[in-house]
Amino acid sequence: FIDENKAIDHAAGLALGLDLTDRDLQNELKKQSLPWFLSKSFKGSAVVSEFKTGTNGIWGKEFWLKRNEVIVQRGKIEQMVFSITKLIEYLSARITLHKGDLIITGTPEGVGRIEQGDNLELGIAQEILMEIEVA
């Protein structure tokens, strides 16, 4: 168990990620009352940017996703329903967290469809952390 007051000491850094869903498959599985984890289990369905360590300067900065040069999602960590420290405390009380584990949090408004040929960029403040061309 990691106390919320000491939880930030256990965060080595942060990264940005895309957690994609095949909506057509998800809807079909839901119609059949089946689990829909397969709609989130395809090649490239979860990608993570480079890992930023020593995150003191970036915790409060805006992160964003651009699709074809247009910002479609943006947010700040402080807008999350639960703080990073509260998530670490909650999870560590229920499962064993190990060095190197990733805690993937929520998604800002702006979820949308991506298409073959789209160019995606993920970043924090003015820094691009990851670029993806959708194949």
Side-chain angles (χ1 to χ4, degrees), residues 19-74:
D19 174 19
L20 303 176
T21 305
D22 179 335
R23 293 281 184 224
D24 293 337
L25 178 57
Q26 181 186 40
N27 290 333
E28 186 58 38
L29 292 168
K30 283 180 176 182
K31 282 180 194 173
Q32 297 176 44
S33 297
L34 294 171
W36 44 273
F37 70 90
L38 291 176
S39 67
K40 302 186 82 49
S41 305
F42 54 91
K43 185 176 181 178
S45 65
V47 295
V48 179
S49 75
E50 69 177 86
F51 200 78
K52 302 296 285 184
T53 58
T55 58
N56 289 340
I58 61 174
W59 283 105
K61 293 186 179 173
E62 183 177 73
F63 54 90
W64 46 266
L65 168 66
K66 285 184 183 178
R67 177 180 175 243
N68 302 325
E69 302 294 324
V70 176
I71 293 179
V72 293
Q73 289 182 291
R74 62 173 39 154

Side-chain angles (χ1 to χ4, degrees), residues 53-133:
T53 58
T55 58
N56 289 340
I58 61 174
W59 283 105
K61 293 186 179 173
E62 183 177 73
F63 54 90
W64 46 266
L65 168 66
K66 285 184 183 178
R67 177 180 175 243
N68 302 325
E69 302 294 324
V70 176
I71 293 179
V72 293
Q73 289 182 291
R74 62 173 39 154
K76 288 187 170 188
I77 291 173
E78 65 195 32
Q79 295 171 315
M80 293 172 40
V81 173
F82 300 103
S83 69
I84 298 293
T85 54
K86 182 52 98 179
L87 290 172
I88 292 171
E89 179 184 71
Y90 180 84
L91 290 170
S92 71
R94 287 152 180 83
I95 60 173
T96 303
L97 296 175
H98 296 281
K99 184 177 182 176
D101 283 350
L102 297 177
I103 298 173
I104 299 175
T105 61
T107 303
E109 290 183 19
V111 171
R113 189 171 205 82
I114 58 173
E115 305 287 340
Q116 187 174 9
D118 281 349
N119 189 338
L120 307 176
E121 296 178 342
L122 286 88
I124 297 176
Q126 303 302 314
E127 184 179 0
I128 298 170
L129 298 185
M130 182 168 53
E131 294 183 67
I132 301 167
E133 187 171 325

